[in-house]
Amino acid sequence: MNRLFCTTLVKYSPRNAILPSRAVQWPRTLATTASNRHANTESTTSDAQHYDIIIVGGGMVGTALACALGKNSRLQNKNILLLEAAAGFKQPSTEQYSNRVSAISKGTYRLMRTIGAWEEIERTRVKPVLKMQVWDACSDALITFNYDDFAENISWIVENDVLLASIYRQLEGVPNVRVRYSSKLASCELIRDGADRSTVRLADGETLKCDLLVGADGYNSLVRRQMGVQNFALAYNQMGVVATLRLANAPSDNVTAWQRFLPTGPIALLPLSDDTSSLVWSTGVAEAKRLLQLDGDSFIAAVNAAFHKPMPRNTLVDDVMKGVHSLIKQTTGQRLEAAPVVEAEVASSRAAFPLGLGHTSTYVGQGVCLIGDAAHRVHPLAGQGVNLGFGDVQTLVDVLADANYAGLGISNVSELLKYEQQRLKHNVPVLLTTHSLQRLYTTDFVPTVALRSIGLTLTNALPPVKVLILG
């Protein structure tokens, strides 16, 4: 399946914000409590330097894994160490929104509830999304997503800082998990290299051993490199421009996510509160750099133009779409709704990051495995990146819990392969779909515009298909 995946990629390549009644007071000790746990009980013997599981990378996915493992009743006999290179955990601002947010899926929502983090998120800041509208700038094709009578949320928009802080808060009550900051990984040695156990060496010279080493250290993963596995990587020559924006004449209840496909890439507006939304604009590197240099008024003008300015249309595409609409006019009466007008950006919220695709040839080895961006990287247009990582977390925890309960061990490759196989069935289709959409919607080539417009319109006219997509 991985070989097919890589071959296919090469082929494509040439509701209100839930705000606290008072400012959330994040305790100053949060960043050190977990890291000091058990500090007085450790000895200097080599045994004290052994852990059952070491997780490299204290980002959202790595921290969620540590918390989920520590709280699982079948794994509470395991000592778990979370290594984070940063000097401390960044507390979320209580004064303004962060410019990096995630669209949380139902699967991630369930995981956060399981580990106890969702209540903390709700006490801080979260915005449910009840509807999504996606449309093509080069035609009148559009698709909307929502449940009947808006009975369920499609997703939830959560700032990454809030999500991470809420997970860290849960670790305070997990006795078998230790967090160490300022612990940069210098190198690692695996069983495949001749080591008796997976071994990590920190930048300060300290050596630690474990039965299972988990690489949650991002798309430049050192753990992955040490595994010696192939990693397919593709740069899109695009950047994602992000900012926090204030809306003019904001709707009474800002619960819709908006995404318009421009010839240069998609631009999305995600609700944060009734008058605030988060921008994610994927565009070429040169254009992204230009947008970063604009003054505030010019930037807002560019954003509004990207959402509202008519783009050149081809008469052939228009004629084709008229025919398609005449066939399905009895099926859907939906019309394009205008996205909110932006009036200002929050100071210092504008930034950009490179976009690309990545997938490793295998997720596991003897005594080692990869999760999150260390194993796969996707374009943000479908909002699936962090959700794929959290899906890895849930599956890996389930596999390890079953293996430990059955006495099979947590480093057994045959058991770890169950994790890989389950995640490949989900991750590869998502990566292929997002990559195909990225290629399909970054061109104004007339036949391509016509075909994608037909596909989008027909999908919008088939509610069962849309329900399947939402699911």
Short mmCIF file of all heavy atoms in Angstrom, two decimals, residues 212-275:
data_model
loop_
_atom_site.label_atom_id
_atom_site.label_comp_id
_atom_site.label_asym_id
_atom_site.label_seq_id
_atom_site.Cartn_x
_atom_site.Cartn_y
_atom_site.Cartn_z
N LEU A 212 9.96 0.95 24.49
CA LEU A 212 9.34 1.49 23.28
C LEU A 212 9.65 2.98 23.17
O LEU A 212 9.35 3.75 24.07
CB LEU A 212 7.81 1.28 23.30
CG LEU A 212 7.04 1.87 22.11
CD1 LEU A 212 7.47 1.18 20.80
CD2 LEU A 212 5.53 1.73 22.31
N LEU A 213 10.25 3.34 22.06
CA LEU A 213 10.54 4.74 21.76
C LEU A 213 9.53 5.22 20.73
O LEU A 213 9.36 4.60 19.66
CB LEU A 213 11.96 4.88 21.19
CG LEU A 213 12.40 6.27 20.75
CD1 LEU A 213 12.44 7.23 21.93
CD2 LEU A 213 13.77 6.20 20.07
N VAL A 214 8.84 6.32 21.04
CA VAL A 214 7.84 6.87 20.14
C VAL A 214 8.32 8.22 19.59
O VAL A 214 8.59 9.14 20.35
CB VAL A 214 6.48 7.05 20.84
CG1 VAL A 214 5.45 7.60 19.86
CG2 VAL A 214 6.00 5.74 21.44
N GLY A 215 8.44 8.29 18.29
CA GLY A 215 8.82 9.55 17.65
C GLY A 215 7.60 10.39 17.37
O GLY A 215 6.81 10.06 16.48
N ALA A 216 7.45 11.47 18.14
CA ALA A 216 6.39 12.46 17.90
C ALA A 216 7.07 13.80 17.68
O ALA A 216 6.57 14.84 18.10
CB ALA A 216 5.44 12.50 19.09
N ASP A 217 8.22 13.74 17.01
CA ASP A 217 9.09 14.91 16.87
C ASP A 217 8.98 15.61 15.52
O ASP A 217 9.95 16.20 15.03
CB ASP A 217 10.55 14.53 17.17
CG ASP A 217 11.00 13.26 16.47
OD1 ASP A 217 10.15 12.47 16.01
OD2 ASP A 217 12.23 13.04 16.38
N GLY A 218 7.80 15.58 14.92
CA GLY A 218 7.53 16.40 13.76
C GLY A 218 8.07 15.86 12.45
O GLY A 218 8.69 14.81 12.37
N TYR A 219 7.84 16.64 11.37
CA TYR A 219 8.18 16.12 10.04
C TYR A 219 9.68 16.10 9.77
O TYR A 219 10.12 15.50 8.78
CB TYR A 219 7.42 16.90 8.95
CG TYR A 219 7.79 18.36 8.79
CD1 TYR A 219 8.86 18.74 7.99
CD2 TYR A 219 7.04 19.34 9.40
CE1 TYR A 219 9.19 20.08 7.83
CE2 TYR A 219 7.36 20.69 9.25
CZ TYR A 219 8.43 21.03 8.46
OH TYR A 219 8.75 22.36 8.30
N ASN A 220 10.49 16.73 10.63
CA ASN A 220 11.94 16.59 10.54
C ASN A 220 12.44 15.59 11.57
O ASN A 220 13.54 15.74 12.12
CB ASN A 220 12.63 17.94 10.74
CG ASN A 220 12.45 18.85 9.53
OD1 ASN A 220 12.49 18.40 8.39
ND2 ASN A 220 12.23 20.13 9.78
N SER A 221 11.67 14.58 11.85
CA SER A 221 11.91 13.62 12.93
C SER A 221 13.29 12.97 12.90
O SER A 221 13.69 12.34 11.92
CB SER A 221 10.83 12.53 12.86
OG SER A 221 11.12 11.49 13.77
N LEU A 222 14.01 13.12 14.02
CA LEU A 222 15.30 12.44 14.18
C LEU A 222 15.09 10.95 14.39
O LEU A 222 15.87 10.13 13.91
CB LEU A 222 16.08 13.06 15.34
CG LEU A 222 17.55 12.66 15.52
CD1 LEU A 222 18.30 13.76 16.27
CD2 LEU A 222 17.71 11.35 16.29
N VAL A 223 14.03 10.61 15.13
CA VAL A 223 13.72 9.19 15.36
C VAL A 223 13.46 8.48 14.04
O VAL A 223 13.97 7.38 13.80
CB VAL A 223 12.50 9.04 16.30
CG1 VAL A 223 12.12 7.57 16.46
CG2 VAL A 223 12.79 9.66 17.66
N ARG A 224 12.74 9.12 13.15
CA ARG A 224 12.46 8.51 11.85
C ARG A 224 13.75 8.31 11.05
O ARG A 224 13.96 7.27 10.43
CB ARG A 224 11.49 9.38 11.06
CG ARG A 224 11.06 8.77 9.72
CD ARG A 224 10.23 9.72 8.88
NE ARG A 224 11.02 10.87 8.45
CZ ARG A 224 10.63 12.13 8.58
NH1 ARG A 224 9.46 12.42 9.13
NH2 ARG A 224 11.40 13.12 8.17
N ARG A 225 14.60 9.30 11.08
CA ARG A 225 15.86 9.16 10.35
C ARG A 225 16.68 7.99 10.87
O ARG A 225 17.30 7.24 10.11
CB ARG A 225 16.66 10.46 10.43
CG ARG A 225 16.04 11.62 9.69
CD ARG A 225 17.05 12.70 9.37
NE ARG A 225 17.65 13.27 10.57
CZ ARG A 225 17.15 14.31 11.22
NH1 ARG A 225 16.01 14.87 10.81
NH2 ARG A 225 17.76 14.79 12.29
N GLN A 226 16.67 7.81 12.21
CA GLN A 226 17.43 6.72 12.79
C GLN A 226 16.83 5.36 12.44
O GLN A 226 17.55 4.36 12.36
CB GLN A 226 17.52 6.87 14.31
CG GLN A 226 18.47 5.90 14.99
CD GLN A 226 19.92 6.08 14.54
OE1 GLN A 226 20.33 7.20 14.20
NE2 GLN A 226 20.69 5.00 14.53
N MET A 227 15.55 5.31 12.20
CA MET A 227 14.89 4.06 11.79
C MET A 227 15.36 3.63 10.40
O MET A 227 15.23 2.46 10.03
CB MET A 227 13.37 4.23 11.80
CG MET A 227 12.75 4.29 13.18
SD MET A 227 10.97 4.69 13.12
CE MET A 227 10.32 3.20 12.33
N GLY A 228 15.90 4.56 9.64
CA GLY A 228 16.40 4.23 8.31
C GLY A 228 15.31 3.93 7.30
O GLY A 228 15.56 3.23 6.31
N VAL A 229 14.13 4.44 7.51
CA VAL A 229 13.03 4.18 6.59
C VAL A 229 12.96 5.27 5.52
O VAL A 229 13.44 6.38 5.71
CB VAL A 229 11.68 4.10 7.35
CG1 VAL A 229 11.71 2.96 8.34
CG2 VAL A 229 11.38 5.43 8.07
N GLN A 230 12.38 4.94 4.41
CA GLN A 230 12.19 5.92 3.34
C GLN A 230 11.08 6.88 3.72
O GLN A 230 10.08 6.49 4.32
CB GLN A 230 11.85 5.21 2.03
CG GLN A 230 12.98 4.37 1.47
CD GLN A 230 12.61 3.71 0.16
OE1 GLN A 230 11.44 3.56 -0.17
NE2 GLN A 230 13.62 3.31 -0.61
N ASN A 231 11.27 8.13 3.37
CA ASN A 231 10.24 9.13 3.64
C ASN A 231 9.98 9.92 2.37
O ASN A 231 10.87 10.62 1.86
CB ASN A 231 10.70 10.07 4.76
CG ASN A 231 9.62 11.06 5.14
OD1 ASN A 231 8.52 10.68 5.52
ND2 ASN A 231 9.91 12.36 5.02
N PHE A 232 8.78 9.77 1.84
CA PHE A 232 8.40 10.53 0.65
C PHE A 232 8.03 11.94 1.07
O PHE A 232 7.16 12.13 1.92
CB PHE A 232 7.23 9.86 -0.07
CG PHE A 232 6.77 10.61 -1.29
CD1 PHE A 232 7.37 10.36 -2.51
CD2 PHE A 232 5.78 11.56 -1.21
CE1 PHE A 232 6.97 11.05 -3.64
CE2 PHE A 232 5.37 12.26 -2.33
CZ PHE A 232 5.96 12.01 -3.56
N ALA A 233 8.69 12.93 0.50
CA ALA A 233 8.41 14.33 0.84
C ALA A 233 8.24 15.14 -0.43
O ALA A 233 8.97 14.95 -1.41
CB ALA A 233 9.54 14.90 1.68
N LEU A 234 7.27 16.02 -0.41
CA LEU A 234 6.99 16.86 -1.57
C LEU A 234 6.67 18.27 -1.11
O LEU A 234 5.73 18.49 -0.34
CB LEU A 234 5.79 16.30 -2.36
CG LEU A 234 5.33 17.10 -3.58
CD1 LEU A 234 6.40 17.07 -4.66
CD2 LEU A 234 4.03 16.53 -4.11
N ALA A 235 7.49 19.24 -1.54
CA ALA A 235 7.23 20.64 -1.22
C ALA A 235 6.23 21.21 -2.22
O ALA A 235 6.37 21.00 -3.43
CB ALA A 235 8.52 21.44 -1.24
N TYR A 236 5.22 21.91 -1.74
CA TYR A 236 4.20 22.47 -2.61
C TYR A 236 4.56 23.84 -3.18
O TYR A 236 3.81 24.41 -3.95
CB TYR A 236 2.87 22.58 -1.86
CG TYR A 236 2.14 21.27 -1.69
CD1 TYR A 236 1.60 20.91 -0.46
CD2 TYR A 236 2.00 20.39 -2.76
CE1 TYR A 236 0.92 19.72 -0.30
CE2 TYR A 236 1.32 19.20 -2.61
CZ TYR A 236 0.78 18.87 -1.37
OH TYR A 236 0.11 17.67 -1.23
N ASN A 237 5.69 24.39 -2.74
CA ASN A 237 6.06 25.75 -3.12
C ASN A 237 4.93 26.72 -2.74
O ASN A 237 4.62 27.66 -3.48
CB ASN A 237 6.36 25.86 -4.62
CG ASN A 237 7.10 27.14 -4.98
OD1 ASN A 237 7.88 27.68 -4.18
ND2 ASN A 237 6.84 27.68 -6.17
N GLN A 238 4.32 26.45 -1.62
CA GLN A 238 3.25 27.28 -1.08
C GLN A 238 3.52 27.56 0.40
O GLN A 238 4.28 26.83 1.05
CB GLN A 238 1.89 26.58 -1.20
CG GLN A 238 1.27 26.60 -2.57
CD GLN A 238 -0.17 26.09 -2.53
OE1 GLN A 238 -0.50 25.14 -1.83
NE2 GLN A 238 -1.04 26.73 -3.29
N MET A 239 2.90 28.61 0.90
CA MET A 239 2.94 28.91 2.33
C MET A 239 1.52 29.16 2.81
O MET A 239 0.65 29.59 2.04
CB MET A 239 3.81 30.13 2.62
CG MET A 239 5.26 29.96 2.21
SD MET A 239 6.31 31.34 2.74
CE MET A 239 6.52 30.92 4.49
N GLY A 240 1.28 28.87 4.07
CA GLY A 240 -0.01 29.16 4.69
C GLY A 240 0.09 30.45 5.48
O GLY A 240 0.85 30.52 6.45
N VAL A 241 -0.62 31.47 5.05
CA VAL A 241 -0.63 32.75 5.76
C VAL A 241 -1.76 32.71 6.77
O VAL A 241 -2.92 32.42 6.41
CB VAL A 241 -0.83 33.93 4.78
CG1 VAL A 241 -0.89 35.25 5.55
CG2 VAL A 241 0.30 33.95 3.75
N VAL A 242 -1.45 32.97 8.03
CA VAL A 242 -2.45 32.93 9.09
C VAL A 242 -2.55 34.29 9.77
O VAL A 242 -1.59 35.07 9.80
CB VAL A 242 -2.11 31.85 10.15
CG1 VAL A 242 -2.17 30.46 9.53
CG2 VAL A 242 -0.74 32.10 10.77
N ALA A 243 -3.72 34.59 10.30
CA ALA A 243 -3.96 35.84 11.04
C ALA A 243 -5.27 35.71 11.79
O ALA A 243 -6.12 34.87 11.46
CB ALA A 243 -4.01 37.04 10.09
N THR A 244 -5.43 36.54 12.81
CA THR A 244 -6.69 36.63 13.55
C THR A 244 -7.39 37.90 13.12
O THR A 244 -6.80 38.98 13.17
CB THR A 244 -6.44 36.65 15.07
OG1 THR A 244 -5.66 35.50 15.42
CG2 THR A 244 -7.75 36.60 15.84
N LEU A 245 -8.64 37.77 12.68
CA LEU A 245 -9.34 38.89 12.04
C LEU A 245 -10.63 39.25 12.77
O LEU A 245 -11.33 38.39 13.31
CB LEU A 245 -9.68 38.52 10.59
CG LEU A 245 -8.50 38.04 9.73
CD1 LEU A 245 -9.02 37.64 8.36
CD2 LEU A 245 -7.44 39.12 9.61
N ARG A 246 -10.93 40.56 12.75
CA ARG A 246 -12.18 41.08 13.29
C ARG A 246 -13.16 41.27 12.14
O ARG A 246 -12.80 41.79 11.10
CB ARG A 246 -11.96 42.42 14.00
CG ARG A 246 -10.99 42.37 15.15
CD ARG A 246 -11.52 41.57 16.32
NE ARG A 246 -10.62 41.62 17.47
CZ ARG A 246 -10.73 40.86 18.54
NH1 ARG A 246 -11.72 39.97 18.61
NH2 ARG A 246 -9.88 40.96 19.54
N LEU A 247 -14.42 40.86 12.35
CA LEU A 247 -15.42 40.92 11.30
C LEU A 247 -16.26 42.19 11.38
O LEU A 247 -16.59 42.66 12.47
CB LEU A 247 -16.35 39.71 11.38
CG LEU A 247 -15.66 38.34 11.40
CD1 LEU A 247 -16.72 37.24 11.48
CD2 LEU A 247 -14.76 38.15 10.18
N ALA A 248 -16.60 42.75 10.22
CA ALA A 248 -17.50 43.90 10.15
C ALA A 248 -18.92 43.38 10.07
O ALA A 248 -19.20 42.41 9.36
CB ALA A 248 -17.18 44.75 8.92
N ASN A 249 -19.84 44.02 10.79
CA ASN A 249 -21.24 43.60 10.78
C ASN A 249 -21.34 42.09 10.95
O ASN A 249 -21.98 41.39 10.15
CB ASN A 249 -21.91 44.02 9.47
CG ASN A 249 -21.81 45.50 9.22
OD1 ASN A 249 -22.04 46.31 10.12
ND2 ASN A 249 -21.45 45.88 7.99
N ALA A 250 -20.67 41.62 11.99
CA ALA A 250 -20.58 40.19 12.23
C ALA A 250 -21.96 39.57 12.42
O ALA A 250 -22.87 40.21 12.96
CB ALA A 250 -19.73 39.92 13.47
N PRO A 251 -22.15 38.35 11.96
CA PRO A 251 -23.44 37.66 12.16
C PRO A 251 -23.71 37.48 13.64
O PRO A 251 -22.80 37.46 14.46
CB PRO A 251 -23.23 36.31 11.46
CG PRO A 251 -21.74 36.13 11.41
CD PRO A 251 -21.17 37.49 11.26
N SER A 252 -25.01 37.35 13.96
CA SER A 252 -25.38 37.22 15.37
C SER A 252 -24.78 35.96 15.98
O SER A 252 -24.53 35.91 17.18
CB SER A 252 -26.91 37.20 15.52
OG SER A 252 -27.48 36.14 14.76
N ASP A 253 -24.53 34.96 15.16
CA ASP A 253 -23.92 33.73 15.65
C ASP A 253 -22.96 33.21 14.58
O ASP A 253 -23.38 32.60 13.61
CB ASP A 253 -25.01 32.70 15.97
CG ASP A 253 -24.50 31.61 16.90
OD1 ASP A 253 -23.36 31.72 17.38
OD2 ASP A 253 -25.25 30.65 17.16
N ASN A 254 -21.71 33.50 14.74
CA ASN A 254 -20.69 33.16 13.75
C ASN A 254 -20.33 31.68 13.88
O ASN A 254 -19.43 31.31 14.63
CB ASN A 254 -19.46 34.05 13.99
CG ASN A 254 -18.36 33.82 12.99
OD1 ASN A 254 -18.60 33.35 11.88
ND2 ASN A 254 -17.13 34.15 13.38
N VAL A 255 -21.02 30.83 13.14
CA VAL A 255 -20.84 29.38 13.28
C VAL A 255 -20.52 28.70 11.95
O VAL A 255 -20.56 27.47 11.86
CB VAL A 255 -22.10 28.72 13.90
CG1 VAL A 255 -22.30 29.18 15.33
CG2 VAL A 255 -23.34 29.00 13.05
N THR A 256 -20.18 29.47 10.93
CA THR A 256 -19.88 28.91 9.62
C THR A 256 -18.40 29.03 9.29
O THR A 256 -17.79 30.06 9.53
CB THR A 256 -20.70 29.63 8.52
OG1 THR A 256 -22.10 29.49 8.80
CG2 THR A 256 -20.40 29.05 7.15
N ALA A 257 -17.86 27.96 8.75
CA ALA A 257 -16.50 27.99 8.22
C ALA A 257 -16.59 28.21 6.72
O ALA A 257 -17.39 27.56 6.03
CB ALA A 257 -15.78 26.68 8.52
N TRP A 258 -15.79 29.15 6.20
CA TRP A 258 -15.84 29.53 4.79
C TRP A 258 -14.52 29.16 4.11
O TRP A 258 -13.45 29.39 4.66
CB TRP A 258 -16.06 31.03 4.65
CG TRP A 258 -17.19 31.58 5.46
CD1 TRP A 258 -17.14 32.01 6.76
CD2 TRP A 258 -18.54 31.76 5.05
NE1 TRP A 258 -18.37 32.45 7.18
CE2 TRP A 258 -19.27 32.30 6.14
CE3 TRP A 258 -19.23 31.51 3.84
CZ2 TRP A 258 -20.61 32.61 6.07
CZ3 TRP A 258 -20.58 31.82 3.77
CH2 TRP A 258 -21.26 32.36 4.89
N GLN A 259 -14.61 28.59 2.91
CA GLN A 259 -13.41 28.30 2.14
C GLN A 259 -13.66 28.51 0.66
O GLN A 259 -14.56 27.90 0.08
CB GLN A 259 -12.93 26.85 2.38
CG GLN A 259 -11.64 26.51 1.65
CD GLN A 259 -11.02 25.21 2.12
OE1 GLN A 259 -10.17 25.19 3.01
NE2 GLN A 259 -11.45 24.11 1.53
N ARG A 260 -12.85 29.39 0.07
CA ARG A 260 -12.95 29.67 -1.37
C ARG A 260 -11.68 29.18 -2.05
O ARG A 260 -10.58 29.50 -1.61
CB ARG A 260 -13.14 31.16 -1.62
CG ARG A 260 -13.45 31.51 -3.07
CD ARG A 260 -13.45 33.01 -3.31
NE ARG A 260 -14.07 33.34 -4.59
CZ ARG A 260 -13.94 34.52 -5.22
NH1 ARG A 260 -13.21 35.49 -4.66
NH2 ARG A 260 -14.53 34.73 -6.38
N PHE A 261 -11.85 28.42 -3.12
CA PHE A 261 -10.70 27.95 -3.87
C PHE A 261 -10.35 28.97 -4.94
O PHE A 261 -11.10 29.17 -5.89
CB PHE A 261 -10.99 26.58 -4.51
CG PHE A 261 -10.86 25.44 -3.55
CD1 PHE A 261 -11.98 24.81 -3.03
CD2 PHE A 261 -9.60 24.99 -3.17
CE1 PHE A 261 -11.85 23.74 -2.16
CE2 PHE A 261 -9.45 23.93 -2.29
CZ PHE A 261 -10.58 23.30 -1.78
N LEU A 262 -9.20 29.60 -4.77
CA LEU A 262 -8.65 30.52 -5.75
C LEU A 262 -7.71 29.75 -6.68
O LEU A 262 -7.24 28.66 -6.33
CB LEU A 262 -7.90 31.65 -5.05
CG LEU A 262 -8.70 32.46 -4.01
CD1 LEU A 262 -7.76 33.37 -3.22
CD2 LEU A 262 -9.79 33.26 -4.69
N PRO A 263 -7.38 30.30 -7.84
CA PRO A 263 -6.43 29.61 -8.73
C PRO A 263 -5.07 29.38 -8.10
O PRO A 263 -4.33 28.49 -8.53
CB PRO A 263 -6.34 30.57 -9.93
CG PRO A 263 -7.62 31.32 -9.91
CD PRO A 263 -7.97 31.50 -8.46
N THR A 264 -4.73 30.16 -7.07
CA THR A 264 -3.43 30.02 -6.42
C THR A 264 -3.50 29.20 -5.14
O THR A 264 -2.46 28.97 -4.51
CB THR A 264 -2.86 31.41 -6.08
OG1 THR A 264 -3.83 32.14 -5.31
CG2 THR A 264 -2.55 32.18 -7.35
N GLY A 265 -4.68 28.76 -4.74
CA GLY A 265 -4.83 27.98 -3.52
C GLY A 265 -6.03 28.43 -2.71
O GLY A 265 -6.59 29.50 -2.95
N PRO A 266 -6.44 27.65 -1.72
CA PRO A 266 -7.64 27.97 -0.94
C PRO A 266 -7.40 29.03 0.13
O PRO A 266 -6.31 29.13 0.69
CB PRO A 266 -8.01 26.64 -0.30
CG PRO A 266 -6.69 25.94 -0.16
CD PRO A 266 -5.88 26.34 -1.35
N ILE A 267 -8.42 29.81 0.42
CA ILE A 267 -8.43 30.76 1.53
C ILE A 267 -9.61 30.40 2.42
O ILE A 267 -10.71 30.15 1.93
CB ILE A 267 -8.52 32.22 1.04
CG1 ILE A 267 -8.47 33.19 2.24
CG2 ILE A 267 -9.75 32.46 0.18
CD1 ILE A 267 -8.33 34.66 1.83
N ALA A 268 -9.37 30.31 3.72
CA ALA A 268 -10.40 29.85 4.66
C ALA A 268 -10.55 30.82 5.83
O ALA A 268 -9.58 31.44 6.27
CB ALA A 268 -10.08 28.46 5.18
N LEU A 269 -11.78 30.95 6.30
CA LEU A 269 -12.11 31.79 7.45
C LEU A 269 -12.83 30.91 8.46
O LEU A 269 -13.91 30.38 8.18
CB LEU A 269 -13.00 32.96 7.01
CG LEU A 269 -13.02 34.23 7.85
CD1 LEU A 269 -11.62 34.82 8.00
CD2 LEU A 269 -13.97 35.26 7.24
N LEU A 270 -12.20 30.71 9.63
CA LEU A 270 -12.73 29.79 10.65
C LEU A 270 -13.20 30.58 11.87
O LEU A 270 -12.46 31.41 12.39
CB LEU A 270 -11.63 28.80 11.07
CG LEU A 270 -10.91 28.09 9.93
CD1 LEU A 270 -9.77 27.23 10.47
CD2 LEU A 270 -11.88 27.25 9.11
N PRO A 271 -14.42 30.33 12.34
CA PRO A 271 -14.97 31.13 13.45
C PRO A 271 -14.27 30.88 14.78
O PRO A 271 -13.97 29.74 15.13
CB PRO A 271 -16.44 30.67 13.51
CG PRO A 271 -16.42 29.28 12.97
CD PRO A 271 -15.37 29.28 11.89
N LEU A 272 -13.99 31.97 15.49
CA LEU A 272 -13.42 31.92 16.83
C LEU A 272 -14.39 32.44 17.87
O LEU A 272 -14.44 31.94 18.99
CB LEU A 272 -12.12 32.73 16.89
CG LEU A 272 -10.94 32.20 16.09
CD1 LEU A 272 -9.78 33.19 16.14
CD2 LEU A 272 -10.49 30.84 16.60
N SER A 273 -15.15 33.48 17.52
CA SER A 273 -16.18 34.05 18.39
C SER A 273 -17.18 34.73 17.46
O SER A 273 -17.05 34.65 16.23
CB SER A 273 -15.59 35.05 19.39
OG SER A 273 -15.16 36.22 18.73
N ASP A 274 -18.17 35.42 18.02
CA ASP A 274 -19.18 36.05 17.17
C ASP A 274 -18.62 37.13 16.27
O ASP A 274 -19.18 37.42 15.21
CB ASP A 274 -20.32 36.63 18.03
CG ASP A 274 -21.23 35.54 18.56
OD1 ASP A 274 -21.12 34.39 18.10
OD2 ASP A 274 -22.06 35.83 19.45
N ASP A 275 -17.50 37.77 16.65
CA ASP A 275 -16.95 38.84 15.84
C ASP A 275 -15.49 38.60 15.43
O ASP A 275 -14.83 39.50 14.92
CB ASP A 275 -17.07 40.19 16.56
CG ASP A 275 -16.26 40.25 17.85
OD1 ASP A 275 -15.70 39.20 18.25
OD2 ASP A 275 -16.21 41.34 18.46
#
